[in-house]
Amino acid sequence: MGANQTFSIASIPADGVGKEVVAAGRRVLDTLAENSNGKFAFDWTEFPWGSEYYARTGQMMDPKGLEALKDFDAIYFGAVGWENVPDHVSLWGLRLNITQNFDQWANIRPVKFLPGVQSPLRKADNTELDWIVVRENSEGEYAGLGGRNLSGRGPGNEVALQTALFTEKGCERIMRFAFDLARTRTVKKVSSVTKSNAQQYGMVLWDEVFNRVALDYPDVQTESVLVDAMSAKFILKPEDLSVVVASNLNADILSDLGSALAGSLGLAASANLNPERRFPSMFEPVHGSAPDIAGQGISNPIGAIASAALMLDHFGLRGEARQVEAAIEAATGSGHLTRDVGGNATTEDVTEAIIKALTLTPAAV
């Protein structure tokens, strides 16, 4: 990356608290840029898509939206979902429409235990815990294959088929991504999550590909764990975890469990990556639109701001990404906590605390 580079970012706040947390994340990123001495800048374009757009148009996004997004350097996403749109319509109409069509096949969700945030996990009080869930993001249980039929037979006779898709290519590329990530970490270990005792086709293929790929990474420890046993391991032996790789559904559930153990889904960051960079990648918190607190100014912005740090990593601004993460830790450590993590700070309070910490913490080299 050269000096004086401007990154073009498509902002899609979408629904509910998404609007509040995306605004907070943009403020943090713009503060970084302002203090970079011209090293980089961000050029924002906001798109009004989401459930309000659906109420006006009958669609979650513009039919030409993908064409409009494809040339951006990244997408910064808020949250999707509201009572006026069925959840499967809102999800497939916007978020999954982007991730599927832009082949954002690698989803990473770090599990971070922050100072000042009480975890429901007693072990977190005196044990160093830090792991990343790597989610296959393009196929598996969310491939969208299947259908409904036979409704003509009358009530109670309809049939629905939901087909999980596992391909050797899809399994191998997410596993190599996980192994490469593990090589960058202090604990070089990949835990594969499966359910091959019951799902004897797709998950057995997953296991076979994992065993084959592991041969190319003799320096990385491995284990294969059934998803039910891994759910228990997240609680009983989380210190054994470093990189956890799993299929679309299993990783989705496990990553939410990890964030809950860290204290709140409001802390959870994620990146939907197209590693080949043929398309822009998308960065988003995972907490949802939270209609019960939307508009009250009390949502937790940390998941969105930590997602912005993942975006900085994607841009090659690794020192600045660590700077944002350190500022988040400084804010929570000094007691700036929203209600979901036991405090009474507002979204604005936490954002201001993070921005203040940014100005006191130089970027790592």
Side-chain angles (χ1 to χ4, degrees), residues 7 18-21 31 43 49 63 68 79 83 89 111 129 137 168 171 182 199 220 225 241 264 284 306 331 359 361:
F7 297 99
K19 298 179 176 66
E20 302 164 42
V21 299
T31 298
D43 180 20
W49 304 327
E83 59 185 10
V89 173
V111 179
L129 301 175
N137 209 36
E168 283 197 65
C171 293
Q199 295 177 289
V220 178
V225 184
L241 304 172
S264 170
E284 59 170 333
T359 63
T361 307

Side-chain angles (χ1 to χ4, degrees), residues 189-193 210 223 225 230 240-245:
K189 180 181 180 181
V190 176
S191 302
S192 171
V193 179
F210 182 75
E223 64 176 354
V225 184
M230 182 58 82
D240 278 358
L241 304 172
S242 180
V243 174
V244 177
V245 63

Side-chain angles (χ1 to χ4, degrees), residues 104-145:
Q104 295 169 350
W105 53 265
N107 176 244
I108 58 172
R109 296 188 174 187
V111 179
K112 295 282 189 180
F113 291 77
L114 297 173
V117 177
Q118 185 173 9
S119 165
L121 197 62
R122 286 184 297 176
K123 188 170 284 188
D125 294 340
N126 51 29
T127 308
E128 185 76 20
L129 301 175
D130 176 20
W131 70 91
I132 299 177
V133 176
V134 174
R135 171 184 176 187
E136 200 293 311
N137 209 36
S138 67
E139 50 183 54
E141 303 86 353
Y142 294 177
L145 301 178

Side-chain angles (χ1 to χ4, degrees), residues 8-287:
S8 62
I9 305 176
S11 171
I12 309 176
D15 300 328
V17 299
K19 298 179 176 66
E20 302 164 42
V21 299
V22 164
R26 286 180 59 167
R27 285 183 59 200
V28 170
L29 289 176
D30 286 340
T31 298
L32 268 181
E34 289 166 7
N35 295 333
S36 72
N37 294 318
K39 177 182 177 183
F40 60 90
F42 300 109
D43 180 20
W44 298 94
T45 301
E46 185 164 310
F47 293 89
W49 304 327
S51 297
E52 292 179 7
Y53 186 86
Y54 182 91
R56 297 194 307 270
T57 69
Q59 299 180 84
M60 289 298 296
M61 65 184 294
D62 190 295
K64 297 180 180 179
L66 294 174
E67 182 66 22
L69 292 174
K70 68 181 180 62
D71 292 326
F72 282 90
D73 293 315
I75 302 165
Y76 194 37
F77 192 84
V80 66
W82 208 250
E83 59 185 10
N84 65 311
V85 189
D87 286 344
H88 67 282
V89 173
S90 61
L91 187 64
W92 278 97
L94 184 54
R95 184 192 173 278
L96 286 178
N97 194 22
I98 295 170
T99 59
Q100 292 277 358
N101 283 289
F102 285 171
D103 199 22
Q104 295 169 350
W105 53 265
N107 176 244
I108 58 172
R109 296 188 174 187
V111 179
K112 295 282 189 180
F113 291 77
L114 297 173
V117 177
Q118 185 173 9
S119 165
L121 197 62
R122 286 184 297 176
K123 188 170 284 188
D125 294 340
N126 51 29
T127 308
E128 185 76 20
L129 301 175
D130 176 20
W131 70 91
I132 299 177
V133 176
V134 174
R135 171 184 176 187
E136 200 293 311
N137 209 36
S138 67
E139 50 183 54
E141 303 86 353
Y142 294 177
L145 301 178
R148 295 172 61 172
N149 211 334
L150 306 184
S151 60
R153 291 182 175 179
N157 290 293
E158 189 172 5
V159 174
L161 297 177
Q162 192 77 45
T163 302
L165 172 70
F166 293 89
T167 67
E168 283 197 65
K169 176 181 179 178
C171 293
E172 180 167 346
R173 67 183 183 178
I174 197 63
M175 290 167 185
R176 290 194 181 277
F177 182 94
F179 275 99
D180 290 337
L181 178 61
R183 278 180 165 170
T184 70
R185 293 173 58 81
T186 302
V187 178
K188 295 172 174 52
K189 180 181 180 181
V190 176
S191 302
S192 171
V193 179
T194 184
K195 192 56 180 171
S196 51
N197 58 342
Q199 295 177 289
Q200 74 272 42
Y201 303 121
M203 293 265 79
V204 169
L205 175 64
W206 176 282
D207 286 347
E208 291 172 353
V209 174
F210 182 75
N211 292 334
R212 172 168 58 80
V213 170
L215 297 176
D216 293 337
Y217 297 85
D219 53 318
V220 178
Q221 301 176 61
T222 63
E223 64 176 354
S224 291
V225 184
L226 295 177
V227 65
D228 37 2
M230 182 58 82
S231 299
K233 188 167 189 172
F234 264 45
I235 298 169
L236 300 176
K237 296 195 72 177
E239 67 274 16
D240 278 358
L241 304 172
S242 180
V243 174
V244 177
V245 63
S247 67
N248 218 327
L249 173 63
N250 290 338
D252 190 7
I253 295 170
L254 287 172
S255 60
D256 279 5
L257 173 59
S259 298
L261 293 174
S264 170
L265 289 185
L267 306 171
S270 79
N272 304 287
L273 302 174
N274 174 248
E276 302 89 351
R277 299 179 187 256
R278 293 184 300 116
F279 300 102
S281 295
M282 184 163 68
F283 302 84
E284 59 170 333
V286 302
H287 49 56

Side-chain angles (χ1 to χ4, degrees), residues 338-351:
T338 46
R339 297 182 189 185
D340 59 309
V341 285
N344 55 18
T346 65
T347 308
E348 174 74 11
D349 293 335
V350 174
T351 305

